[in-house]
């Protein structure tokens, strides 16, 4: 691709961190981070509030001084001069950081001048990005007058203007409407064909759709792998018990000795069961179906989902931190238990469309 810095393939891992530390005074924000990432993919950074997700992204962007045995991004040493790295990296922080008094087009033009993009090249890229983000009709509108979703799309378009080899985003879809969130995700899926994308997210569906996940906890990398690899580490099975009163079903299910967690979610109770050598699926289904006083009328085993996976990782934390993680997930968990009641049984496609429509997630 002519004029595209991303066309250069990574002969070595794009990101290599070994024993990386970041301190703010006496507080250790990142502790002994070991991480290797490569290729064109979407990598999700997940974990509880205060785990170090934002700090890690800022480190990768070359914005913070660090201590490390090794720390390279796109071949540039983070312990040295990172000016050249910043020219090949796009970074979208949580807070909108573009010039609010400049228009959409003026913000893009300002960034182009900073990076010394030729006028013709800027015009071509800006036209394409404005079309893909559907911001073209608002090119003359001040950035500060845009909606939340439009602001995020402008911030991402601005980061993509230089065609970076590495795109870093800190919860880019937080607080935007469902339609804008879907549009932003589609942009990232398109861009990961040519760039490495590393993003933090608190949404379950986004985490499940990432090619790879990095779970941070207590300033450390606790687990890495594909969503499926992390699911396979979970030692539980998941059931849904449908009925007229899911909260009552959940309370009754908690009395069963092998149930580790149960809660109402829409029209069913979501029930987690610890794996044991002697416990069979048939027994669990029969026991749950026998909760007739609770109004159970249908029971099914379902695959372990991303919610169970992340909470299982969180359960290995100290009690105080575990409660903090529960608090950090509360906002999106409420989305899982609200909205249009679901009816069993449904096809996988129907469930997917339902999840997308409601923007269900976990923070």
């Amino acid at each position: 691709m002519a004029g595209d810095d991303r066309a250069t393939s990574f002969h070595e891992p794009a990101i290599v961190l070994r024993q990386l530390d970041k301190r703010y005074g006496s507080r250790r924000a990142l502790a002994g981070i070991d991480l290797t990432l490569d290729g064109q993919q979407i990598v999700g950074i997940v974990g509880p509030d205060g785990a170090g997700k934002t700090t890690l992204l800022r480190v990768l962007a070359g914005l913070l001084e660090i201590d490390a045995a090794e720390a390279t991004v796109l071949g540039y040493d983070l312990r040295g001069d990172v000016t050249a790295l910043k020219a090949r990296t796009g970074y979208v922080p949580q807070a909108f950081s573009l010039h609010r008094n400049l228009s959409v087009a003026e913000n893009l033009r300002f960034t182009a001048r900073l990076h010394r993009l030729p006028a013709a090249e800027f015009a071509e890229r800006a036209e394409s990005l404005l079309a893909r983000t559907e911001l073209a009709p608002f090119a003359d509108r001040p950035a500060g007058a845009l909606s939340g979703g439009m602001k995020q799309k402008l911030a991402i378009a601005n980061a993509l203007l230089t065609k970076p080899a590495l795109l870093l985003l800190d919860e880019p879809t937080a607080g935007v409407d469902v339609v804008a969130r879907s549009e932003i995700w589609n942009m990232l899926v398109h861009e990961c064909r040519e760039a490495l994308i590393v993003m933090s997210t608190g949404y379950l569906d986004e985490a499940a759709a990432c090619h790879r996940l990095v779970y941070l906890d207590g300033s450390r990398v606790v687990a890495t792998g594909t969503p499926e690899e992390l699911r396979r580490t979970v030692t539980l099975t998941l059931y849904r018990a449908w009925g007229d009163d899911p909260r009552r079903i959940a309370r009754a299910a908690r009395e069963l000795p092998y149930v580790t967690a149960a809660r109402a979610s829409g029209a069913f109770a979501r029930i987690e069961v610890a794996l044991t050598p002697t416990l069979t699926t048939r027994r669990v289904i029969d026991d749950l179906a026998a909760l007739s006083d609770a109004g159970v009328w249908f029971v099914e085993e379902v695959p372990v989902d991303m919610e169970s996976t992340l909470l299982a990782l969180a359960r290995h934390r100290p009690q105080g931190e575990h409660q903090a993680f529960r608090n950090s997930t509360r906002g999106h968990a409420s989305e899982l238990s609200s909205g249009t009641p679901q009816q069993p049984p449904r096809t996988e496609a129907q469930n997917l469309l339902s999840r997308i429509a409601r923007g269900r997630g976990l923070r």
Side-chain angles (χ1 to χ4, degrees):
M1 184 181 301
D4 191 345
D5 292 337
R6 297 182 298 187
T8 302
S9 62
F10 301 124
H11 298 291
E12 295 182 0
I15 296 172
V16 179
L17 307 178
R18 189 161 58 88
Q19 291 300 300
L20 183 143
D21 285 3
K22 174 59 188 175
R23 291 180 179 273
Y24 294 103
S26 61
R27 185 174 72 86
R28 205 175 182 190
L30 294 175
I33 299 294
D34 292 323
L35 182 64
T36 301
L37 297 173
D38 197 6
Q40 289 73 41
Q41 59 178 328
I42 300 177
V43 178
I45 309 296
V46 295
D49 288 346
K53 301 186 295 294
T54 294
T55 302
L56 178 58
L57 290 171
R58 295 187 69 201
V59 164
L60 296 176
L63 299 176
L64 300 175
E65 294 184 357
I66 49 95
D67 294 312
E70 183 178 7
T72 60
V73 175
L74 303 180
Y76 301 98
D77 194 332
L78 294 178
R79 299 166 297 180
D81 185 355
V82 293
T83 303
L85 169 64
K86 292 177 181 179
R88 300 189 62 202
T89 302
Y91 175 58
V92 180
Q94 284 189 30
F96 185 70
S97 59
L98 299 183
H99 299 278
R100 295 174 177 271
N101 58 325
L102 296 183
S103 70
V104 169
E106 288 169 341
N107 267 290
L108 295 179
R109 190 173 295 110
F110 179 79
T111 297
R113 288 176 177 173
L114 285 178
H115 289 269
R116 299 180 180 178
L117 283 181
E121 194 171 351
F122 161 70
E124 180 183 353
R125 293 185 186 183
E127 182 181 5
S128 173
L129 287 167
L130 290 174
R132 286 166 50 198
T133 57
E134 299 184 354
L135 289 174
F138 310 97
D140 296 325
R141 179 176 295 184
L146 297 174
S147 67
M150 287 182 178
K151 283 189 176 80
Q152 285 299 89
K153 289 194 288 185
L154 173 58
I156 295 172
N158 189 72
L160 291 173
L161 186 63
T162 60
K163 295 191 174 181
L166 172 64
L167 180 62
L168 305 166
L169 309 102
D170 198 352
E171 298 199 10
T173 60
V176 305
D177 64 78
V178 176
V179 174
R181 192 160 78 89
S182 177
E183 291 171 348
I184 289 171
W185 183 258
N186 288 337
M187 287 179 64
L188 300 182
V189 170
H190 179 272
E191 290 301 320
C192 80
R193 301 169 187 170
E194 300 180 352
L196 172 60
I197 297 176
V198 182
M199 60 176 285
S200 62
T201 181
Y203 287 99
L204 285 174
D205 54 349
E206 290 181 356
C210 288
H211 298 106
R212 193 167 189 83
L213 295 175
V214 177
Y215 185 87
L216 285 182
D217 191 357
S219 305
R220 300 178 183 273
V221 173
V222 173
T224 63
T226 67
E228 182 57 33
E229 287 170 345
L230 294 185
R231 285 190 191 100
R232 288 200 295 265
T233 68
V234 177
T235 56
L236 59 81
T237 52
L238 187 61
Y239 294 83
R240 289 177 179 173
W242 301 78
D244 299 324
D245 192 344
R247 286 186 173 83
R248 188 177 178 187
I249 295 172
R251 287 195 298 270
R254 293 188 201 110
E255 299 300 319
L256 296 173
Y258 47 76
V259 171
T260 60
R263 67 171 177 81
S265 179
F268 59 84
R270 187 180 182 283
I271 300 163
E272 295 181 2
V273 173
L275 282 174
T276 62
T278 58
L279 187 63
T280 65
T281 300
R282 184 72 267 163
R283 178 189 167 187
V284 175
I285 290 178
D286 288 344
D287 287 351
L288 292 174
L291 301 175
S292 54
D293 290 344
V296 175
W297 46 266
F298 182 79
V299 179
E300 60 178 337
E301 182 183 12
V302 294
V304 173
D305 57 16
M306 188 52 60
E307 178 181 355
S308 295
T309 301
L310 297 183
L311 289 176
L313 289 169
R315 290 187 184 110
H316 295 289
R317 314 172 73 231
Q319 182 60 34
E321 293 184 357
H322 174 58
Q323 184 60 43
F325 178 75
R326 284 285 190 176
N327 292 340
S328 74
T329 65
R330 189 164 296 154
H332 289 261
S334 65
E335 296 178 23
L336 285 166
S337 58
S338 63
T340 306
Q342 303 175 55
Q343 300 297 325
R346 292 161 59 102
T347 67
E348 183 178 353
Q350 287 174 316
N351 284 326
L352 177 60
L353 289 172
S354 177
R355 287 197 297 273
I356 293 173
R358 288 197 296 273
R360 301 194 306 178
L362 178 70
R363 284 182 66 103

